[in-house]
Amino acid sequence: MTAQDSVQAPLDHPVAGTTGRRSRDLLLGAGLVVCWSSGFIGAELAAPHAPPATTLAWRYLLTTVLLVPWLVRAARTWGARLSAADLLRQVVLALLVQVGYLAGVFAAVSAGVPAGTTALVAALQPALVVLLVALTSRRGVGARRLVGLVVGTAGVAVVVSGDLRAGTFGGAAVLLPVAATASLAVGTVLQRRWPAPGGPMTTLAAHSAVSAVVFSAWALATGALAPPPVPGFAGAVLWSAVLAGIGGYGSYVAVVRRSGPARASTLLWLTPPVTALWAWAVFGDPLRPATLVGLAVCAAAVVVFGPAREEGAVSTPRR
């Protein structure tokens, strides 16, 4: 064995490769949890200054501008490799994963649903995703994952019921994050079935451009496109565009590609604790006993659910 071979051997060792892959999965998952939870805070930061249409329009206009290099790459790559039907599928994904989801989340926060509670309702998404995957693939959920889904859903129910008893918002407002969650769940499953060439940032740039058009049209139609000239609104848009828009969705697409839609969705059970703590620190929202119990149950559900990488999931290479 040469000196060069001795240097290369540890790098090629399967144990070292597996450890490195797991480390990347953990870092990517942590980034997803931190950045995704920031979106709920951004929605509440913007709510006092502008309606959801205004905030979302400017959030996506800024996100698209920041992602122009990847947008150019998407235009070249997708134009050469995707058919008209494939392009239409990507538009549908943008409408489900970004437009439908965020419209529901921002509308819920504007209706008075606390950011932490909105995050917890959105944490029901793993149950929907796993059920959709099981139905479309004709594979069973599995006893362990079924227990995890039941436990996680119970944790969400505990927190929501506590907020309803406290009278922080009307019961009908809960339907807004529920609808948003359903939209994200369907889009997550389809995203694995409708892959697009390029890395996660290329997909994110293209989907952001579609969302910018839709939200700008919505704001223009309702006479709400003009941004309020206040620093609070500008800060909320910057927060949402960079942390949630690029960090959150970029890491979400990456986790779906690497570990599968069910695992990516399950990690969202960990966003409520981060969101609740941020809401307590930033807005002074109380940490009720029901909230703490629900958060502990949701965290336990992620552990029960299973390993970090779904069976059969493989990394999607850049093309």
Side-chain angles (χ1 to χ4, degrees), residues 39-56 101-118 168-170 172-174 176-177 218 233 236 283:
F40 301 100
I41 303 301
E44 195 158 338
L45 285 170
H49 305 295
T54 308
T55 303
L56 289 168
Y101 175 69
L102 284 173
V105 166
F106 274 69
V109 173
S110 295
V113 182
T117 302
T118 302
T168 57
F169 57 90
V174 178
L176 293 169
W218 176 23
F233 177 77
F283 306 117

Side-chain angles (χ1 to χ4, degrees), residues 36 46 182 185 188 205 210 256 307 313 317:
W36 193 273
T188 299
V210 172
V256 169

Side-chain angles (χ1 to χ4, degrees), residues 146-233:
L146 185 60
V147 171
L149 292 174
V150 171
V151 172
T153 304
V156 174
V158 168
V159 178
V160 172
S161 63
D163 282 335
L164 286 174
R165 285 195 299 271
T168 57
F169 57 90
V174 178
L175 297 178
L176 293 169
V178 169
T181 301
S183 180
L184 180 61
V186 174
T188 299
V189 175
L190 292 177
Q191 193 160 359
R192 190 69 183 272
R193 292 174 175 270
W194 296 344
M201 295 300 290
T202 303
T203 300
L204 174 61
H207 289 182
S208 295
V210 172
S211 302
V213 171
V214 173
F215 284 127
S216 296
W218 176 23
L220 190 61
T222 56
L225 184 58
V230 293
F233 177 77

Side-chain angles (χ1 to χ4, degrees), residues 19 91 106 128 163 165 167 207 235 242 244 266 288 306 310:
T19 302
V91 172
F106 274 69
L128 295 177
D163 282 335
R165 285 195 299 271
H207 289 182
V242 176
T266 307
R288 301 184 183 88
E310 289 181 43

Side-chain angles (χ1 to χ4, degrees), residues 263-283:
R263 186 60 192 176
S265 300
T266 307
L267 285 171
L268 298 188
W269 267 329
L270 295 176
T271 59
V274 180
T275 304
L277 290 174
W278 278 10
W280 168 73
V282 176
F283 306 117

